[in-house]
Amino acid sequence: MRLRHIFLFFLLGMFVGLSLSGCHLNAKLKWLLSLILRLVYWGFTSIWFSRTDVASVTPWLAPIVWEGTFDSTVIDSIHKQQNITIATTVFALGKYTRFLKDFLESAEEHYFVGFHVHYYLFTDQPEEVPNVKLGEEHYLTVKKVPSMNRWQDISMNRMKILEKLIENELASEADYIFCLDVDTKFYGRWGVESLGRLVGVIHPWFFDAPRFIFTYERRPESQAYIPAGEGDYYYTGAAFGGSLKDVHHLTKTCREQINIDIANSIEAIWHEESHLNKYFLHNKPSKLLSPEYLWRDISMSSGRVKIIRFSHVSKNNAEVRPNL
Ligand code: UDP
Ligand code: GAL
Ligand code: MN
C-alpha cells in the first residue's frame, strides 16, 4: 500500500511537471504547484483509504470494519443489485420499553437506509410500543413474550427465542440477521459493510486491552470457560449477526450451553455474552465490527474511533432492571 502510494506520488509529480511545462510560469512556481498537488494527493489517500493506526484484519484474515476501510458508495451499489432483507431483533421487557422510541427513530435515520429491514420486537407489553414512522421497505413485527423476574434471565433467554424465531419464521423472510440491545441509539451509518456470514462486534472497553484483562468466564465448571492465554478478542453480547444459518447455529449452541450451566447451578459471569465469546473462540467470525458499531458513552471518544455509529445510552440499572 505504502509503496504504491510513493510510486503514484512521484508519477503525479512527473505528470503535473509535464502538464505545466508548456505554461509560462517560472520554475519555482511550477515546482511549488506540483508539490502542493502531490501533498494533497498524499493526504487524501492516507486519510481516506488506509488506516495504519488500527488493525483492519484478524489473524484468520477476517476484515475488521473501521471508518476509512471501506467505500460506502461502492459497497452500497454492489448490494443494491441483490435483493437482501436484514432481520433485526430487539427485546424490550419491563421498563426497557422506554428505550424503544429513540432506538427505532435513530435506526430509521441510520440503519440500512435504502435496504429491506424487518424488525422483530419482543416485549411483554405490546401496548407500550411507540408508533414510529418507518422508511420505505422497513417493517416491524411485534411479538409478545412472557415477563421474567431477573434481568439476567431476560438477557440470556434471548438466545432461545432467537433460535426459535430463525427456525420457525425467518427461513423465507430474510437473508441476514442482527440481534441488538435496546438500551442503545444510532448516531451514524450502519450499513451493508457490516454484513457477513458470522459477525461479531468488539466490546468498546476492550478493543485496545491486553488479553489477560478480558472478562471471559474463568471458572472451568461453566461451559463458557476460556482458559488464560486463550481467546482472540472480547466481543459484546449487545450486537451480533450474520447469515440465518450461522446465527441459528450460534443461538442454538449458546442456548444449549446455558442450559447445561443451569443444570450445574452455575451462571456465567456475563451471562450469554460469556457463552458468545466461547462460541466465537471456536467458530471464528468471518467479519468483525470495530467499537464504532457499539460504543459505550457518546460523550467519551477515542482517537481511533473516528465515528460513533451505535452506542449504549446511559441508564440507571437499579431503576430500570427488575432485580439487582
Ligand atoms: N432487557 C429487557 N428488560 C430488562 C432487562 C434486559 O428488555 O428488564 C433486554 C434489553 O433488550 C437489553 C438486554 O436485555 O438491552 C440486555 O440487558 P442490559 O442492556 O441491561 O445489559 P447491559 O448491556 O447493561 O449489560
Ligand atoms: C460492561 C457491560 C456488560 C459486560 C461487561 C463485560 O461494560 O455493561 O454488559 O459487557 O462490560 O466486562
Ligand atoms: Mn445493554
Side-chain angles (χ1 to χ4, degrees):
M1 193 70 163
R2 286 227 174 117
L3 262 179
R4 186 169 64 102
H5 284 170
I6 292 168
F7 175 69
L8 287 173
F9 183 75
F10 284 107
L11 208 66
L12 186 70
M14 277 168 57
F15 175 76
V16 173
L18 275 176
S19 330
L20 293 177
S21 59
C23 304
H24 299 291
L25 295 172
N26 77 37
K28 264 192 192 152
L29 196 63
K30 280 182 194 169
W31 181 83
L32 201 67
L33 266 174
S34 138
L35 185 71
I36 289 170
L37 270 167
R38 282 193 271 177
L39 285 176
V40 167
Y41 166 80
W42 183 265
F44 181 78
T45 50
S46 56
I47 290 168
W48 293 103
F49 296 119
S50 68
R51 288 289 297 264
T52 50
D53 56 338
V54 290
S56 55
V57 66
T58 68
W60 59 93
L61 294 180
I64 310 176
V65 182
W66 292 89
E67 175 71 356
T69 60
F70 65 93
D71 184 327
S72 53
T73 314
V74 173
I75 205 153
D76 279 350
S77 74
I78 294 168
H79 286 85
K80 275 280 174 204
Q81 293 154 22
Q82 306 156 4
N83 193 22
I84 45 170
T85 297
I86 302 105
T88 302
T89 62
V90 65
F91 289 71
L93 283 80
K95 292 186 179 167
Y96 281 57
T97 51
R98 69 176 61 173
F99 299 114
L100 278 171
K101 189 166 186 291
D102 276 0
F103 173 89
L104 287 171
E105 282 180 357
S106 63
E108 282 307 291
E109 248 180 83
H110 301 291
Y111 184 72
F112 287 104
V113 176
F115 291 88
H116 306 282
V117 171
H118 196 145
Y119 301 101
Y120 293 85
L121 195 169
F122 297 90
T123 180
D124 53 352
Q125 308 147 80
E127 64 284 0
E128 292 295 317
V129 175
N131 195 2
V132 173
K133 193 177 176 313
L134 300 181
E136 220 176 294
E137 303 295 349
H138 283 205
Y139 305 96
L140 173 79
T141 300
V142 178
K143 294 194 165 279
K144 189 163 179 178
V145 289
S147 311
M148 287 185 143
N149 297 329
R150 295 176 69 240
W151 71 270
Q152 298 90 335
D153 289 335
I154 295 175
S155 195
M156 284 191 290
N157 197 48
R158 291 185 291 179
M159 289 296 181
K160 181 174 136 198
I161 295 177
L162 295 173
E163 176 196 350
K164 300 296 168 217
L165 174 80
I166 300 171
E167 227 166 84
N168 300 334
E169 287 185 49
L170 295 193
S172 58
E173 294 293 320
D175 305 281
Y176 293 96
I177 179 167
F178 272 108
C179 312
L180 307 174
D181 260 22
V182 74
D183 55 329
T184 50
K185 212 176 146 178
F186 292 85
Y187 296 90
R189 172 198 163 101
W190 178 318
V192 290
E193 72 283 358
S194 65
L195 296 177
R197 185 180 58 73
L198 185 61
V199 183
V201 182
I202 301 173
H203 192 296
W205 283 6
F206 303 104
F207 77 98
D208 52 2
R211 180 159 51 191
F212 74 90
I213 302 279
F214 295 174
T215 53
Y216 293 145
E217 173 55 57
R218 299 300 188 185
R219 292 166 299 171
E221 297 77 28
S222 168
Q223 299 303 307
Y225 171 59
I226 298 180
E230 283 190 41
D232 311 295
Y233 298 88
Y234 189 82
Y235 303 94
T236 178
F240 57 89
S243 75
L244 294 187
K245 182 167 171 275
D246 283 78
V247 178
H248 180 258
H249 188 250
L250 178 160
T251 51
K252 181 173 186 287
T253 309
C254 289
R255 191 260 304 157
E256 287 167 355
Q257 304 293 73
I258 290 169
N259 284 346
I260 299 174
D261 272 10
I262 293 172
N264 292 328
S265 309
I266 190 164
E267 186 169 276
I269 176 166
W270 288 109
H271 322 105
E272 80 290 354
E273 180 175 275
S274 306
H275 292 279
L276 179 76
N277 273 279
K278 177 70 174 278
Y279 184 83
F280 280 154
L281 172 61
H282 298 296
N283 305 266
K284 306 286 190 215
S286 64
K287 184 177 273 186
L288 271 67
L289 305 181
S290 70
E292 294 165 3
Y293 291 81
L294 184 80
W295 197 238
R296 195 71 215 181
D297 181 347
I298 185 73
S299 62
M300 213 174 63
S301 70
S302 141
R304 277 171 283 174
V305 176
K306 302 211 181 291
I307 162 173
I308 294 166
R309 305 170 188 279
F310 185 54
S311 178
H312 258 116
V313 295
S314 54
K315 68 179 189 300
N316 178 350
N317 287 337
E319 200 246 323
V320 290
R321 288 174 172 169
N323 63 308
L324 289 177

